[in-house]
Amino acid sequence: MEYTFEQYKTAADYIMERAPFAPELAIVLGSCLGPFADELEEPVSIDYRDIPNFLVTTVESHAGKLVFGTVRGKRVVCMSGRFHFYEGYDYEQLVIPVRVLKLLGVRALILTNAAGAVNESYHPGDVMILSDHIKLTGASPLRGPNLPEFGPRFFDMTKTYTPELRAVARACAANTSLTVHEGVYMFFTGPQFETPAEIRAARLLGADAVGMSTVTEALTAAHCGLPLLALSVMTNMAAGVLPQPLTAEEVGETAERIAAPFGAYVKDIIERI
Ligand code: HPA
């Protein structure tokens, strides 16, 4: 499955015909920001399943719609529901959402996610601003014929997580009760959580957190030159750090507990970028 540039354009044109405005910023809502889209002012939503050439979510906790609205005076579009490799998509399909967001004309992308804390000085409920990532799992979403309309065949990854946006997120940390770190996210495909040995290896390699999303989207943003900020909520200590097994319930409970202060932190960032 390789899309032509025109197929991406068809998706973006469909959205623009129904959107209330051209958005300035795009935000991908991870499981830690579920209710965020409900708090947008004058929201307008478009179901993924109605958008030609888009993807459809299979994760229950992810709604599967684009929601346009304003946050502190900024025109934003939220992806409420995202696409993960573990759902069965090919890596190559996972470029679709970010490329369509790029064609909507946004000037920056904010990715949010739930992650497991590898760094033992982190705690559940802490936030991590991504400074970089590690992905050692095979293929790339940018594999296959290159579309030069989006970016070059070989592209730089040295400033994928835009330094200026990270500086804004660091500055906003002063206004939240959450503890905010900056660190490295390591991608694992899931759907299984990692083994304790994988987490020890991740720590040796320099990872501070692990998760099953975000990196495919970050690679797509880097390819098309879209400024990027990515934020992880530590929903749990990663496998083997604590004696008890990991559960999806624990991840969901922390995500729910943190959603309000994390949402406020993200709104603060949006206001300042
Ligand atoms: N591992 C991978 N993904 C996750 C985790 C984890 O520990 N917690 C939340 N998402």
Side-chain angles (χ1 to χ4, degrees):
M1 189 249 31
E2 304 291 347
Y3 278 1
T4 61
F5 184 71
E6 285 63 39
Q7 284 174 296
Y8 291 104
K9 274 280 289 164
T10 302
D13 289 347
Y14 176 93
I15 295 164
M16 286 310 287
E17 280 164 22
R18 286 151 187 86
F21 48 64
E24 300 168 68
L25 301 173
I27 307 159
V28 177
L29 306 179
S31 24
C32 49
L33 264 187
F36 193 84
D38 302 332
E39 295 165 18
L40 297 183
E41 290 156 42
E42 299 184 45
V44 172
S45 42
I46 302 173
D47 278 359
Y48 293 162
R49 69 173 82 88
D50 296 330
I51 304 171
N53 307 330
F54 214 67
L55 297 172
V56 177
T57 38
T58 66
V59 183
E60 271 173 47
S61 59
H62 290 246
K65 57 187 181 185
L66 285 183
V67 189
F68 289 79
T70 52
V71 176
R72 310 245 177 113
K74 293 262 162 69
R75 290 173 277 112
V76 307
V77 57
C78 294
M79 271 187 66
S80 183
R82 64 138 59 90
F83 306 97
H84 308 80
F85 184 73
Y86 65 73
E87 292 175 76
Y89 303 107
D90 296 329
Y91 275 124
E92 289 87 338
Q93 289 179 286
L94 294 172
V95 297
I96 294 170
V98 171
R99 285 186 165 177
V100 171
L101 294 173
K102 167 79 178 176
L103 292 179
L104 299 182
V106 296
R107 61 180 166 80
L109 173 66
I110 302 176
L111 301 174
T112 63
N113 66 52
V118 172
N119 187 320
E120 287 169 303
S121 73
Y122 291 9
H123 299 284
D126 289 357
V127 172
M128 185 182 87
I129 302 164
L130 274 68
S131 58
D132 206 345
H133 75 234
I134 301 172
K135 173 187 172 302
L136 300 180
T137 50
S140 163
L142 281 307
R143 175 172 176 262
N146 185 50
L147 287 181
E149 294 90 339
F150 286 110
R153 166 81 298 179
F154 302 105
F155 57 100
D156 181 47
M157 290 293 294
T158 53
K159 288 190 179 166
T160 300
Y161 300 91
T162 309
E164 294 78 9
L165 298 180
R166 285 161 50 197
V168 173
R170 283 197 303 271
C172 290
N175 307 333
T176 174
S177 57
L178 300 170
T179 302
V180 179
H181 311 277
E182 194 160 16
V184 174
Y185 177 97
M186 185 158 178
F187 175 74
F188 282 83
T189 60
Q192 71 284 358
F193 291 118
E194 300 71 30
T195 63
E198 285 167 341
I199 294 303
R200 287 195 299 277
R203 191 177 297 117
L204 274 176
L205 291 174
D208 297 293
V210 288
M212 307 174 194
S213 68
T214 297
V215 166
T216 52
E217 296 145 349
L219 287 164
T220 311
H223 180 250
C224 68
L226 188 55
L228 174 67
L229 176 68
L231 303 168
S232 293
V233 168
M234 302 301 120
T235 48
N236 55 284
M237 297 310 290
V241 175
L242 302 175
Q244 72 264 27
L246 266 57
T247 65
E249 287 69 35
E250 178 188 6
V251 170
E253 276 164 26
T254 313
E256 217 166 284
R257 174 166 67 80
I258 292 305
F262 185 58
Y265 174 58
V266 172
K267 282 182 193 166
D268 220 22
I269 293 171
I270 289 171
E271 187 177 341
R272 297 208 220 167
I273 62 177

